[in-house]
Amino acid sequence: MSTPNIHDSTIKYFLSDRLNAISLIKSMLPAKIVKQLDFNKIYYKKDSYLPKSLQSYYSDLVVSVPTKCGSYVAKVFFLLEHKSTFKKNTPLQFLRYILEFWKQYQKNTGETRLPVIIPILIAHPEEGWKPTKVSDLVDLPSDDFKIFIPDFNFLLYDAVNDDPEDYDFDETLKALFTIWRYSGSPEFMKGVKRALQLIKKVDPKARLLDFLQLILHYLELTRDEKEYIDIKQIAETEIDEGEIYMGTIAEMFRREGREEIRAEYENTINVLKNEWFGHAMLKNAQETLIDVAGDFHGPLPNSLQDKIKSIDSIDSLRTLTRKFYKTQSLEEFSELVNRAAQ
């Protein structure tokens, strides 16, 4: 796994964590927009509205957040994109993605109105990011021609020049961004120390251990072996109950090469991400059924919502979602749910 892929896999896993994704979006959006979104119902889309020819090209995360206006179709989609090297044509990539997404959205849903898509770029090239728009890429004879350019804005977090302490990110995300900010600095160990100070604030302990191990593996793969002793000393000093959490860092000194840990890291990321997406898809199917059935039959009783949330088969939930339109009453729908939950 190359270094750019290590960066990419790492940020994708961090943003596959619900708390991290919510904190990122809330911190970067204007307050007026944040107030309009229902973050309790955030869910992840897995290449749902892209043709197969583009699914491998656009591998970053897409999340959907419904608005609080009460309309089921009123959603805002967020494209969470990551770049570890500067790409001048990124605005064109975003434009192509948005157009393809809208095309497939209309084809799959039959909707005539299009959802809002807000790209969020997380970048940490060594030299920092140079903000560009589509109009910057077009040879304009004069500004009079700008009215014909399909320009748009996207949100940017420049991990080299921006200070994560200025944002209300979750501590785990702040820790990673702190490491990125100091990655090319002579004060890198200062960044490691601050990152581990942030990580140890994470609760519960299981979540702390998950992200601590990920950070330590990431440091092992991206830093020079000469730095391991300093990293180990900082970790043992900063993390409470070091005998429990330092197993990973100690193992860094027992490996003769990095290929084994690279394979292990990639496998860990994939397993954890697949487990998380499975859980997210199940929750999404449950929430979707509750929403659409509520629009059709009126607000569902809490007991019925709990029954739907107890169904752990995505296929059963999708079958119920298709069948509920044929039910004539809430009672009839409740019978279908009870049979599926048995």
Side-chain angles (χ1 to χ4, degrees), residues 185-205:
S185 167
E187 297 184 313
F188 175 71
M189 291 304 163
K190 174 183 175 181
V192 172
K193 180 177 180 179
R194 178 56 184 154
L196 295 181
Q197 288 173 344
L198 289 164
I199 281 287
K200 69 182 181 183
K201 296 179 182 179
V202 173
D203 192 64
K205 288 290 182 67

Side-chain angles (χ1 to χ4, degrees), residues 11 14-30 34 39 42 44 61 63 78-82 118-123 155-159 162 164 167-174 177 180:
I11 187 60
F14 270 71
L15 293 180
S16 292
D17 179 87
R18 181 185 180 89
L19 295 180
N20 283 337
I22 291 175
S23 73
L24 177 81
I25 295 171
K26 280 186 172 181
S27 297
M28 298 192 67
L29 281 178
V34 170
F39 286 94
I42 186 173
Y44 288 70
L61 298 173
V63 299
F78 294 89
L79 169 63
L80 307 178
E81 179 85 3
H82 165 257
I118 301 178
I120 298 179
L121 176 62
I122 303 163
L155 300 176
L156 169 66
Y157 180 76
D158 183 343
D162 292 342
Y167 294 80
D168 192 23
F169 296 144
D170 184 86
E171 282 81 4
T172 57
L173 204 55
K174 275 187 181 180
F177 289 164
W180 282 356

Side-chain angles (χ1 to χ4, degrees), residues 6-74:
I6 294 170
H7 300 320
D8 197 49
S9 297
T10 301
I11 187 60
K12 284 179 185 177
Y13 182 69
F14 270 71
L15 293 180
S16 292
D17 179 87
R18 181 185 180 89
L19 295 180
N20 283 337
I22 291 175
S23 73
L24 177 81
I25 295 171
K26 280 186 172 181
S27 297
M28 298 192 67
L29 281 178
K32 289 183 179 179
I33 294 181
V34 170
K35 291 178 181 179
Q36 299 178 54
L37 300 176
D38 185 357
F39 286 94
N40 291 324
K41 295 183 179 179
I42 186 173
Y43 67 92
Y44 288 70
K45 305 296 292 184
K46 183 68 172 171
D47 305 323
S48 301
Y49 295 118
L50 287 182
K52 291 182 178 180
S53 59
L54 291 180
Q55 287 181 9
S56 59
Y57 183 70
Y58 293 105
S59 57
D60 284 79
L61 298 173
V62 179
V63 299
S64 172
V65 182
T67 62
K68 295 178 180 178
C69 66
S71 173
Y72 174 71
V73 296

Side-chain angles (χ1 to χ4, degrees), residues 102-153:
W102 278 342
K103 177 182 177 181
Q104 295 299 317
Y105 179 86
Q106 285 191 322
K107 179 179 178 180
N108 293 352
T109 66
E111 298 286 346
T112 56
R113 304 282 292 179
L114 299 170
V116 176
I117 301 174
I118 301 178
I120 298 179
L121 176 62
I122 303 163
H124 64 112
E126 291 183 7
E127 69 280 9
W129 193 264
K130 304 176 183 67
T132 55
K133 301 174 67 174
V134 173
S135 57
D136 297 327
L137 305 175
V138 179
D139 188 9
L140 296 171
S142 71
D143 286 345
D144 297 328
F145 289 83
K146 281 189 175 181
I147 62 173
F148 302 106
I149 306 302
D151 235 347
F152 61 93
N153 292 324

Side-chain angles (χ1 to χ4, degrees), residues 250-263:
E251 193 169 340
M252 292 166 62
F253 296 90
R254 295 198 295 267
R255 297 183 188 273
E256 296 179 356
R258 295 190 176 189
E259 291 309 311
E260 179 185 351
I261 188 59
R262 285 178 186 272

Side-chain angles (χ1 to χ4, degrees), residues 192-342:
V192 172
K193 180 177 180 179
R194 178 56 184 154
L196 295 181
Q197 288 173 344
L198 289 164
I199 281 287
K200 69 182 181 183
K201 296 179 182 179
V202 173
D203 192 64
K205 288 290 182 67
R207 189 167 182 262
L208 182 155
L209 180 58
D210 184 10
F211 283 100
L212 174 62
Q213 288 179 328
L214 206 63
I215 285 286
L216 294 177
H217 280 313
Y218 176 80
L219 289 172
E220 179 182 7
L221 290 173
T222 58
R223 306 304 299 187
D224 192 277
E225 292 183 23
K226 292 182 292 185
E227 298 175 307
Y228 285 0
I229 293 178
D230 290 336
I231 293 173
K232 180 176 183 291
Q233 290 175 345
I234 293 171
E236 289 177 337
T237 301
E238 294 299 329
I239 302 298
D240 297 333
E241 300 174 283
E243 68 277 7
I244 297 176
Y245 300 120
M246 288 305 102
T248 299
I249 197 83
E251 193 169 340
M252 292 166 62
F253 296 90
R254 295 198 295 267
R255 297 183 188 273
E256 296 179 356
R258 295 190 176 189
E259 291 309 311
E260 179 185 351
I261 188 59
R262 285 178 186 272
E264 178 184 324
Y265 184 82
E266 186 172 16
N267 181 65
T268 299
I269 287 285
N270 289 334
V271 169
L272 291 173
K273 191 163 62 174
N274 288 337
E275 288 178 354
W276 196 96
F277 271 119
H279 174 74
M281 290 177 65
L282 179 63
K283 183 175 177 60
N284 177 29
Q286 293 166 346
E287 294 292 345
T288 297
L289 179 57
I290 291 171
D291 283 344
V292 296
D295 288 342
F296 194 73
H297 288 302
L300 304 185
N302 289 337
S303 58
L304 184 56
Q305 293 188 36
D306 291 340
K307 183 77 71 168
I308 291 173
K309 292 177 181 179
S310 72
I311 301 174
D312 58 6
S313 167
I314 293 178
D315 289 338
S316 295
L317 290 164
R318 288 173 175 168
T319 299
L320 282 172
T321 302
R322 291 194 300 269
K323 288 184 175 180
F324 89 91
Y325 289 105
K326 299 179 181 179
T327 58
Q328 301 298 315
S329 65
L330 181 59
E331 290 73 19
E332 187 178 346
F333 174 67
S334 297
E335 290 181 8
L336 282 178
V337 173
N338 288 332
R339 287 199 294 271
Q342 291 177 353

